[in-house]
Amino acid sequence: MTDRLLSRRGVLAGAAASVAAAGVARVAEVTSRGDVAAADTATTVIPFRGERQAGIATPQQQHAQVAAYDVVDASLLATTLDAWTEAAERMTAGLPAQHDSGEAAGLAASRLTVTVGFARRSLRLPAFRNDALERRWSGGDVVVQACADDPQVAHHAVRTLTRLGRGLRLRWVQRGFLPTTQGTPRNLFGFSDGTANLRGTDTKLLDEHVWTDDGPPWLRGGSYLVVRRIRMHVEKWDASSLYEQQNAIGRSKSTGARLAHAPHSHAALARPEANGGVRLLRRGYSFDDGVVDGRLDVGLLFLAYMRDVERFVRIQRALAAHDEMNEYVTHVGGAVFACPRGLRPGESWADFV
Ligand code: HEM
C-alpha cells in the first residue's frame, strides 16, 4: 500500500493523489456548530491552508485528540515540521499520509482539522487557587490538536504526526468527545455548554478577542491556546440537588436560560461584563478516561483560543476565587501555546521556526 495507491476516501480513489483533488468534496464554510448538515460531514473537507489555521474558528467536530511533545533534538524540528505539513495537508483532504499506517483507509475526511502551536518562553500561566496540575497532563513544547467527526480519523492524524515527529518525545495525549446533537451540546454535568460562546461567524468579535496581532510575524493572525484538563467530580455532582447545580452553574439545566440571582455562579463570574469585556473562544470536549482511585476519571478537556493569555488569567482568577462550581471540579492539567497564522500556498510550518 504505497501512499500513491491508497486513497482514503472512496470519492478520491483513482484521482491524482493531489490535494487539489479535495476540491471535489464539499468545502465547509466557517459557520457555527450544527450548521453543517450531518449527512454532509463525512465527505466534507475543511481547507488546510488559508488566512487562519483550521480547527480554531471551525465549527466543532465530534471528536478531538490533542497531543503535546517535548523537543529533544531541536536540529530536527524543521524536518519534522515539513513532514507534518505535508501529512496534515493530505490527511485533512482525506488522503493517506507518507507510508500510511492504514488504519484510516476507507474513511472519509470527516472534517479533519490539524492545528499546531508552540510553547514560548514568555508564555507562562500563574498558579491559580485550587490548581492540582499533574506533570503527566501538563506542559509541552509543541502541540497538535486533531479534530474530526470520526474518532479513528483523529487518532490516525495524531498517530501519524507522532510517527513522523523526529527529535520529539510524546508528553501527553488527551481525547475528547461531544454528543451528536443539533443544538448546543450538554457537558457531563448535564448543562448546555457553549450558549454564550463566540461563533466562528462572528468575524468582528473574533478579530477583537481571538486573533492576535502581536509577537513574531508568523504569530500575527494566529491565536493563543490554553488547555486545561478539568476533572469533574460527577459522583458528588449527582448527589447534589437541581437547586444546588443550577446555582453553581448560573443557568437553568433544562433550558440553558441565565438565572438572575446567582452572583457566585460559574456563568455569572465568567461573563464579559464581570471581566472588563474580555471573551474567549471555547472549544472544549468532554473526556471519559476510566477510573482513578475508585472514581470516574471524567471531565472537560478545556480548550480556549484567545488574543492574549491575560484574558484567560483574568477570568480564571475570578473563577478560582469565587466560583461555586469549584466544589465539583479540579484542574489537573494545563498548558499554553502560541498557534501560528494559517499557511499560504507553498508555505510549511517549518518556515515558522
Ligand atoms: C469543568 C469545567 C467547566 C464547566 C463544566 C463549564 C461549564 C460552563 C457552562 C455550563 C456555561 C454556561 C453556558 C455557556 O455560556 O457556555 C459556561 C460558560 C462559560 N464558561 Fe465555563 N465551564 C468550565 C470551565 C471554564 C473555565 C476554566 C473557563 C475559563 C477560565 C470558563 C469560561 C467560561 C466562559 C467565558 C463562559 C461564558 C460566560 C458568559 O459569557 O455568559 N469555563 N461554562
Side-chain angles (χ1 to χ4, degrees):
M1 283 198 304
T2 73
D3 61 344
R4 279 177 185 284
L5 294 175
L6 173 64
S7 174
R8 222 176 73 201
R9 293 192 300 103
V11 65
L12 286 176
S18 141
V19 173
V24 302
R26 182 177 176 276
V27 171
E29 307 277 315
V30 174
T31 56
S32 69
R33 184 182 141 75
D35 285 359
V36 179
D40 287 338
T41 62
T43 52
T44 297
V45 168
I46 309 278
F48 175 69
R49 292 178 189 269
E51 190 186 0
R52 316 289 186 197
Q53 277 202 83
I56 300 177
T58 309
Q60 272 187 269
Q61 300 89 327
Q62 225 61 52
H63 299 272
Q65 186 149 152
V66 185
Y69 305 81
D70 290 327
V71 175
V72 291
D73 184 347
S75 69
L76 296 173
L77 189 57
T79 314
T80 286
L81 291 174
D82 273 336
W84 277 16
T85 305
E86 187 187 342
E89 184 158 29
R90 294 178 62 90
M91 291 188 293
T92 52
L95 297 168
Q98 305 91 301
H99 310 292
D100 199 274
S101 43
E103 75 276 11
L107 298 178
S110 308
R111 295 199 297 139
L112 173 68
T113 53
V114 176
T115 314
V116 300
F118 306 106
R120 307 192 74 209
R121 219 162 302 158
S122 54
L123 259 188
R124 285 248 160 80
L125 290 180
F128 299 99
R129 219 174 131 189
N130 300 322
D131 269 1
L133 305 190
E134 296 174 41
R135 196 185 174 278
R136 62 182 169 141
W137 302 121
S138 301
D141 296 322
V142 182
V143 74
V144 169
Q145 174 201 272
C147 300
D149 289 322
D150 186 311
Q152 191 141 326
V153 169
H155 161 94
H156 175 249
V158 163
R159 173 165 155 189
T160 300
L161 299 194
T162 303
R163 173 170 60 81
L164 298 172
R166 294 176 61 205
L168 300 182
R169 189 175 48 224
L170 194 54
R171 189 180 171 100
W172 52 254
V173 177
Q174 307 192 39
R175 278 162 300 133
F177 61 89
L178 290 175
T180 44
T181 176
Q182 283 300 309
T184 310
R186 287 183 188 271
N187 61 31
L188 298 185
F189 281 161
F191 282 69
S192 297
D193 202 333
T195 316
N197 203 5
L198 295 174
R199 307 271 165 231
T201 40
D202 294 337
T203 322
K204 227 175 134 243
L205 289 173
L206 295 179
D207 283 343
E208 193 180 334
H209 297 285
V210 177
W211 309 122
T212 194
D213 50 19
D214 69 0
W218 57 263
L219 185 52
R220 287 179 216 147
S223 190
Y224 291 97
L225 165 65
V226 172
V227 184
R228 306 287 280 186
R229 184 179 196 271
I230 309 177
R231 282 191 69 188
M232 292 162 60
H233 308 300
V234 290
E235 292 88 352
K236 188 171 183 187
W237 182 259
D238 293 346
S240 64
S241 68
L242 178 63
Y243 176 82
E244 288 168 315
Q245 294 185 356
Q246 295 190 149
N247 266 333
I249 299 290
R251 286 187 175 270
S252 153
K253 194 170 187 178
S254 57
T255 68
R258 212 180 272 285
L259 301 189
H261 305 294
H264 289 123
S265 66
H266 179 73
L269 292 167
R271 273 162 57 231
E273 294 82 349
N275 295 289
V278 301
R279 304 187 67 173
L280 312 172
L281 175 62
R282 287 173 286 142
R283 203 184 155 80
Y285 286 86
S286 295
F287 68 83
D288 178 356
D289 286 347
V291 187
V292 170
D293 299 332
R295 292 176 193 278
L296 292 168
D297 184 18
V298 302
L300 176 70
L301 173 56
F302 176 91
L303 302 167
Y305 288 90
M306 62 207 75
R307 183 189 181 90
D308 58 69
V309 296
E310 278 313 306
R311 284 160 193 265
F312 174 81
V313 172
R314 178 163 189 160
I315 299 172
Q316 181 53 23
R317 276 216 172 103
L319 296 178
H322 302 295
D323 191 349
E324 297 210 352
M325 197 181 71
N326 290 343
E327 230 185 290
Y328 306 96
V329 301
T330 306
H331 290 228
V332 296
V336 53
F337 302 97
C339 302
R341 62 168 170 78
L343 290 173
R344 300 181 186 124
E347 281 186 336
S348 152
W349 282 319
D351 301 338
F352 297 157
V353 295

